[in-house]
Amino acid sequence: MYIRNGLQRKIRIVNDKKYNKLNNRVKQSIYRICRNILSRSSCNEIVVEDLSDIQFYDLEQYFLEVKSLLFFEQKGILERFEKINREFCDIVSSSQRKFYLGFGRGREPEIVQKKSVYNPLAKDSSSIFMYDKNFLDEMKLFSDICSRVDTATKQLSKISEDGRKIAVIDISQHPFIDPLRAWHCLNDLWLDNFGYKENIEGISLFCHNIAQRSNDIVSIALTPCISDVKIKSPVFHQPFQLVEWNVMSIPTHATYKHHKQSSISITRKGHLKVKRTNYAPFWKSTNFLMQNNTRDFDAY
């Protein structure tokens, strides 16, 4: 049940058997999309697992077929990520009072910078580790998105009722896919494939949106449709800003008393701080790593 402006609005699951067979992460995806629709539309009810994954009426009838790209299901990239991250953590934990800048490209971690840190009261070491933009290959991304749009289109084409049929690709649970890359892939697919336009009205991404920020929390929402027709629902006219990004981690080897692991922070002056020690200028370090062709940190 969802309440907005004093009105009770609900998400109703029609086919419980089909819904219960879904991966828990896919269920989470559908639920989040439904919440986003209810927060932006005037509909009082959303139907789940009926003629399509999600069905609602908002100025006109909408049928959404949701396909999720899940990081934890991509064994190749997951295994490579775990291997590089583990090896980099081993490097950090093998040294005392050190700070590292690292970069992940193929299958091996690259140490960009290593320096000693003044910390007489502890042996802690820390680091900033960033993954290359193409850690997930462009062709692999395009192929994965294409196959899911194909599947969604085939399912939506079987619906005979009048309404707007929208394929929704959820990338919110895959950190290595930034919204801007995915948007370009979808746009290229739509422009080059007339078969989609014969069966569906558009494609939308469900992803992180930095245009709607509250207390520095990035929201997750449906993007405007890539479409050749006018989509009326406000759900597909939300303020949106698509961005590209690099995945980053902060591996730290430190000893904490009473498991108080909340001591890693970014100070107001922009320094990476572990407990009481400043290790490096955080923003300068991350910007430096994003300049792949630069290897002189002091000159940056």
Side-chain angles (χ1 to χ4, degrees):
M1 191 72 69
Y2 182 87
I3 298 177
R4 182 178 175 223
N5 296 331
L7 297 175
Q8 288 189 346
R9 314 166 80 194
K10 63 182 180 180
I11 301 168
R12 179 167 62 89
I13 300 171
V14 174
N15 191 332
D16 289 298
K17 186 176 181 180
K18 183 179 178 182
Y19 180 78
N20 290 333
K21 288 181 179 179
L22 296 175
N23 179 304
N24 284 333
R25 293 182 182 275
V26 174
K27 290 180 184 177
Q28 184 182 54
S29 169
I30 290 175
Y31 178 74
R32 286 177 173 177
I33 292 172
C34 289
R35 288 295 298 262
N36 182 242
I37 293 169
L38 289 175
S39 69
R40 287 285 171 175
S41 72
S42 59
C43 68
N44 292 324
E45 180 181 74
I46 295 180
V47 176
V48 174
E49 293 301 345
D50 189 12
L51 295 178
S52 63
D53 287 335
I54 297 173
Q55 181 178 335
F56 67 98
Y57 186 88
D58 184 28
L59 302 176
E60 53 191 347
Q61 191 73 21
Y62 288 89
F63 301 94
L64 311 185
E65 199 64 43
V66 181
K67 300 300 172 189
S68 301
L69 281 161
L70 303 173
F71 174 53
F72 291 101
E73 287 186 354
Q74 292 198 302
K75 292 185 179 180
I77 187 173
L78 177 61
E79 290 169 356
R80 188 154 51 97
F81 167 78
E82 290 177 336
K83 176 183 181 295
I84 292 178
N85 203 52
R86 183 172 59 251
E87 290 177 2
F88 191 74
C89 287
D90 288 343
I91 292 171
V92 175
S93 62
S94 66
S95 303
Q96 297 178 359
R97 303 184 184 96
K98 292 289 189 295
F99 173 76
Y100 294 90
L101 280 180
F103 207 79
R105 279 196 174 86
R107 301 193 66 85
E108 305 294 334
E110 174 189 350
I111 303 301
V112 178
Q113 185 195 45
K114 172 184 175 181
K115 70 173 185 178
S116 297
V117 176
Y118 180 71
N119 187 359
L121 301 177
K123 301 177 180 179
D124 307 337
S125 291
S126 189
S127 63
I128 298 174
F129 189 61
M130 186 173 287
Y131 290 84
D132 184 66
K133 281 187 174 70
N134 294 314
F135 195 79
L136 174 60
D137 179 77
E138 192 75 24
M139 290 304 297
K140 170 64 174 171
L141 173 62
F142 189 85
S143 176
D144 286 345
I145 288 179
C146 182
S147 66
R148 283 159 176 79
V149 174
D150 284 347
T151 303
T153 301
K154 289 176 183 176
Q155 291 174 304
L156 289 168
S157 67
K158 297 176 182 178
I159 300 173
S160 59
E161 290 191 17
D162 291 337
R164 299 301 190 187
K165 302 174 181 67
I166 310 293
V168 176
I169 306 301
D170 175 18
I171 60 168
S172 66
Q173 299 182 65
H174 200 309
F176 283 96
I177 304 176
D178 67 66
L180 194 57
R181 285 180 74 193
W183 179 267
H184 285 312
C185 286
L186 287 178
N187 194 55
D188 289 344
L189 278 174
W190 185 258
L191 291 175
D192 297 338
N193 196 318
F194 290 100
Y196 294 152
K197 301 176 185 182
E198 293 176 353
N199 293 291
I200 61 177
E201 274 68 44
I203 310 172
S204 175
L205 274 178
F206 185 64
C207 59
H208 293 87
N209 179 18
I210 67 169
Q212 301 173 14
R213 301 185 65 173
S214 175
N215 299 322
D216 292 327
I217 296 175
V218 180
S219 67
I220 305 174
L222 287 163
T223 66
C225 272
I226 298 173
S227 175
D228 291 345
V229 299
K230 184 178 180 180
I231 304 297
K232 296 179 180 179
S233 173
V235 169
F236 299 104
H237 294 280
Q238 303 180 49
F240 223 98
Q241 185 173 347
L242 295 165
V243 296
E244 59 180 349
W245 60 51
N246 294 72
V247 174
M248 182 189 68
S249 62
I250 306 178
T252 298
H253 184 72
T255 303
Y256 296 90
K257 292 182 179 180
H258 309 297
H259 302 287
K260 292 183 179 179
Q261 297 187 19
S262 60
S263 299
I264 300 175
S265 62
I266 309 300
T267 69
R268 289 185 177 180
K269 293 184 178 181
H271 282 77
L272 171 64
K273 186 175 182 180
V274 181
K275 291 195 264 191
R276 298 180 179 179
T277 303
N278 286 335
Y279 277 78
F282 179 75
W283 298 114
K284 180 181 178 181
S285 300
T286 55
N287 289 336
F288 166 71
L289 287 173
M290 292 178 72
Q291 307 300 316
N292 296 345
N293 58 346
T294 305
R295 286 296 174 263
D296 184 359
F297 181 77
D298 293 328
Y300 182 73

